Amino acid sequence: EMIGLGVAIDYMQQFSWKKIKKYEIDLFAYALKKLIDQVQIIGPADIDKQCGILSFVIDGIHAHDVAEIFSRHQVAVRAGHHCAMPLMTQLNISGTVRLSFGLYNSIEDIDRVIEVIKETKKIFIYYG
């Protein structure tokens, strides 16, 4: 574990935090533009209030079901309350699907997310 942590720290030190934040926000902006008509975004759409994390729901489909389809397509997402159950209750939703962007992500990853969202809708909305 210590060796892995050391390698990760060495890797991260070749970038400035400012560049990392800009890259993550650029990915977020691209994802927001592509997802805005596909899903219901939960949270601020203002890019200046973001940190590279985007949560969403697809009407009529439970977040865990969405995450299962993503998993079957080998796309990693998180689903659930995200330690914010009072917020989910206030929003009257059972949970969200969360995308997290980092240096290891690309525009192609986001395009893949869009493909999987379309596939998920086909399975649950058109055939469900």
Side-chain angles (χ1 to χ4, degrees):
E1 293 172 1
M2 293 301 292
I3 293 170
L5 178 60
V7 171
I9 290 170
D10 290 344
Y11 175 75
M12 294 299 291
Q13 286 181 331
Q14 61 184 311
F15 306 101
S16 73
W17 287 113
K18 196 179 256 187
K19 285 184 180 179
I20 293 170
K21 172 128 175 115
K22 181 182 179 337
Y23 185 76
E24 290 175 357
I25 294 302
D26 288 347
L27 286 174
F28 177 89
Y30 180 81
L32 184 63
K33 178 180 161 191
K34 293 291 190 171
L35 289 170
I36 200 78
D37 294 330
Q38 299 290 324
V39 299
Q40 179 186 348
I41 304 295
I42 305 298
D46 181 351
I47 293 174
D48 293 329
K49 294 181 180 177
Q50 287 297 334
C51 62
I53 296 172
L54 192 149
S55 295
F56 67 89
V57 296
I58 301 174
D59 289 336
I61 309 174
H62 195 283
H64 290 133
D65 292 330
V66 175
E68 175 62 26
I69 301 302
F70 270 75
S71 179
R72 291 178 186 186
H73 286 84
Q74 298 164 344
V75 176
V77 297
R78 297 282 309 228
H81 296 126
H82 312 293
C83 298
M85 189 177 235
L87 175 62
M88 301 299 159
T89 301
Q90 181 69 30
L91 294 173
N92 198 30
I93 57 178
S94 60
T96 67
V97 178
R98 185 177 70 202
L99 304 171
S100 302
F101 307 112
L103 285 175
Y104 43 80
N105 294 116
S106 67
I107 295 295
E108 292 79 18
D109 292 333
I110 296 166
D111 291 340
R112 182 79 175 123
V113 164
I114 301 302
E115 292 173 19
V116 177
I117 287 171
K118 289 177 181 176
E119 180 65 23
T120 302
K121 286 180 174 183
K122 281 183 195 175
I123 292 168
F124 285 95
I125 295 173
Y126 299 118
Y127 300 117

